[in-house]
């Protein structure tokens, strides 16, 4: 944009700014406040601490990952900022471009400025260890916690206690409606789920994180195995006219009577996973299980176990 006039540059920046979500603006502003270039690990931890501020509105959610708190959604937003020319594609770093810095500085955030005054000096191992001590749940899958917290028996004990809070059931169901990818994964982790069984016929979604490949990769990243059994799904054209609970009930009655009995092989696969010690969650879209065919699958599995297998609903 060096050849543009000041007026033309302002117009371009205004149009670009309108294309951003509020949370994407926060990424730019935080990155600017941290000097414009920050290691990826450090930026994730600073973003996490900012999102834990009481008045931040939690623009991003996080999951416990191999180096602590991590947001998949922030990386999806980073890709958009790179495409807009506001963040540079730099392996291992988050780095503002000149246009990204100008846009960030055009709308300063006082809450973020106060946050940086208090915690902006934390860096490296001290920053990561700070998040582990304050929020031990997010260190439960860390590969570096023992090293960073060596000698801090109290902090390590709190992390171990977080791991023991799980009271897993062998079978759960969950819908992703109303969830971010991170809140969804946390629900699975807190329930002790080890295997996610996707029972959608077509595992596509316009909502970030819930198309098959992205969801599978995210699950694998937090130690949850992903399996897809499309034969247990219902064709989308059968669901288009559903308006009342009676409509849903009629569809599910037909599914249980006509279709599900022909899927014994798929049902046996789930039973085998449970017998092998996996803690399985059946997933589809709808939040309420009685509006989703996954409850028919869980009911069938309960019946096949003579009532010994009782499903929970997350």
């Amino acid at each position: 944009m060096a050849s543009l006039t000041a007026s033309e540059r302002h117009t371009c920046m205004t149009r670009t700014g309108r294309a951003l979500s509020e949370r994407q603006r926060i990424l730019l502003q935080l990155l600017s406040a941290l000097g414009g270039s920050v290691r990826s690990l450090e930026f994730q931890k600073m973003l996490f601490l900012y999102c834990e501020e009481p008045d931040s509105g939690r623009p991003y959610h996080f999951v416990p990952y191999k180096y602590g708190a991590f947001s998949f959604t922030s990386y999806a937003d980073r890709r958009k900022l790179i495409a807009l020319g506001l963040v540079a594609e730099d392996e291992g770093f988050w780095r503002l471009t000149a246009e990204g810095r100008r846009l960030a500085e055009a709308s300063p955030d006082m809450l973020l400025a106060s946050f940086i005054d208090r915690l902006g000096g934390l860096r490296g191992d001290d920053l990561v260890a700070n998040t582990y001590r304050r929020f031990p749940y997010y260190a439960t899958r860390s590969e570096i916690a023992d090293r960073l917290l060596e000698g801090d028996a109290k902090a390590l004990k709190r992390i171990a206690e977080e791991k023991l809070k799980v009271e897993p059931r062998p079978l759960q169901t969950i819908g992703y409606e109303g969830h971010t990818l991170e809140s969804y994964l946390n629900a699975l982790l807190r329930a002790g789920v080890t295997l996610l069984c996707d029972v959608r016929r077509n595992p596509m979604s316009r909502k970030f994180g819930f198309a098959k490949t992205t969801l599978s990769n995210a699950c694998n990243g937090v130690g949850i195995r992903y399996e897809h059994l499309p034969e247990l799904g219902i064709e989308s054209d059968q669901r288009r006219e559903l308006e009342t609970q009676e409509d849903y009930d009629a569809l599910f009655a037909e599914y249980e009577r006509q279709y599900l009995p022909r899927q014994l092989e798929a049902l046996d696969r789930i039973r085998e996973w449970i017998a092998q010690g996996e803690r399985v969650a059946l997933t589809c879209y709808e939040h309420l299980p009685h509006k989703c065919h996954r409850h028919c699958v869980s009911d069938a599995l309960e019946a096949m176990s003579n009532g010994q297998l009782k499903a929970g609903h997350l």
Side-chain angles (χ1 to χ4, degrees):
M1 286 193 179
S3 61
L4 298 180
T5 66
S7 176
E8 289 170 334
R9 186 180 298 112
H10 175 76
T11 299
C12 289
M13 287 178 62
T14 300
R15 289 174 179 169
T16 302
R18 289 172 181 165
L20 299 179
S21 67
E22 185 59 33
R23 67 172 190 247
Q24 291 161 353
R25 292 177 187 276
I26 288 171
L27 292 182
L28 294 180
Q29 291 165 343
L30 177 59
L31 189 48
S32 175
L34 292 170
S37 179
V38 185
R39 288 177 57 221
S40 296
L41 177 62
E42 293 177 340
F43 187 75
Q44 279 290 296
K45 301 305 170 282
M46 292 303 296
L47 180 62
F48 169 70
L49 290 176
Y50 174 74
C51 290
E52 290 295 325
E53 292 283 292
D55 297 324
S56 72
R58 291 185 68 93
Y60 291 94
H61 294 92
F62 292 77
V63 296
Y65 208 59
K66 59 184 178 180
Y67 298 129
F70 180 81
S71 167
F72 292 98
T73 304
S74 72
Y75 268 77
D77 283 346
R78 179 179 186 264
R79 289 192 290 272
K80 180 172 182 179
L81 295 174
I82 290 171
L84 290 171
L86 303 176
V87 170
E89 188 162 9
D90 191 342
E91 188 68 29
F93 280 80
W94 288 59
R95 197 185 308 279
L96 281 176
T97 64
E99 290 304 320
R101 185 183 293 274
R102 276 193 284 268
L103 191 58
E105 293 175 352
S107 54
D109 184 302
M110 299 309 295
L111 175 63
L112 196 149
S114 173
F115 166 77
I116 292 298
D117 284 343
R118 288 183 287 109
L119 296 174
L122 283 172
R123 285 292 190 276
D125 288 352
D126 289 341
L127 169 60
V128 181
N130 178 282
T131 68
Y132 289 2
R133 290 187 175 97
R134 293 177 59 191
F135 305 96
Y137 167 72
Y138 292 95
T140 53
R141 292 181 179 265
S142 172
E143 299 174 356
I144 58 175
D146 288 343
R147 176 179 67 81
L148 294 187
L149 299 175
E150 185 177 5
D152 190 340
K154 182 178 179 180
L156 290 171
K157 181 182 178 182
R158 290 183 66 201
I159 294 170
E161 288 171 346
E162 285 290 335
K163 295 179 181 179
L164 295 174
K165 287 182 179 180
V166 173
E167 296 182 7
R169 289 192 183 202
L171 183 64
Q172 306 268 10
T173 83
I174 184 172
Y176 66 84
E177 182 181 17
H179 276 293
T180 64
L181 175 59
E182 290 80 9
S183 68
Y184 175 89
L185 292 173
N186 279 324
L188 296 176
L189 291 170
R190 292 184 185 279
V193 171
T194 62
L195 189 153
L196 182 68
C197 178
D198 195 335
V199 295
R200 291 175 291 175
R201 173 74 66 171
N202 298 304
M204 299 180 291
S205 178
R206 288 176 291 181
K207 185 172 185 178
F208 170 73
F210 296 101
K212 179 176 180 176
T213 299
T214 306
L215 181 57
S216 175
N217 289 339
C219 283
N220 290 336
V222 297
I224 296 172
R225 177 178 162 191
Y226 173 91
E227 295 282 353
H228 179 215
L229 295 181
E231 58 268 41
L232 292 178
I234 295 178
E235 293 287 358
S236 58
D237 60 358
Q238 295 180 266
R239 308 178 63 89
R240 286 176 185 157
E241 304 300 324
L242 301 180
E243 296 180 358
T244 67
Q245 186 59 48
E246 288 74 17
D247 294 333
Y248 282 94
D249 292 342
L251 173 65
F252 297 148
E254 181 180 359
Y255 174 77
E256 290 179 318
R257 184 176 61 253
Q258 301 291 337
Y259 186 78
L260 203 50
R262 301 199 301 267
Q263 304 304 323
L264 294 181
E265 183 177 345
L267 294 172
D268 282 339
R269 286 187 67 186
I270 299 173
R271 295 177 67 202
E272 183 178 349
W273 291 331
I274 293 172
Q276 291 169 350
E278 300 282 9
R279 298 184 290 276
V280 176
L282 309 175
T283 195
C284 196
Y285 168 70
E286 289 83 358
H287 171 66
L288 297 173
H290 63 271
K291 288 194 173 183
C292 178
H293 73 288
R294 69 181 185 273
H295 87 272
C296 303
V297 179
S298 66
D299 288 349
L301 291 167
E302 288 185 18
M304 294 170 75
S305 70
N306 295 318
Q308 296 181 22
L309 183 65
K310 294 293 185 182
H313 302 287
L314 301 176

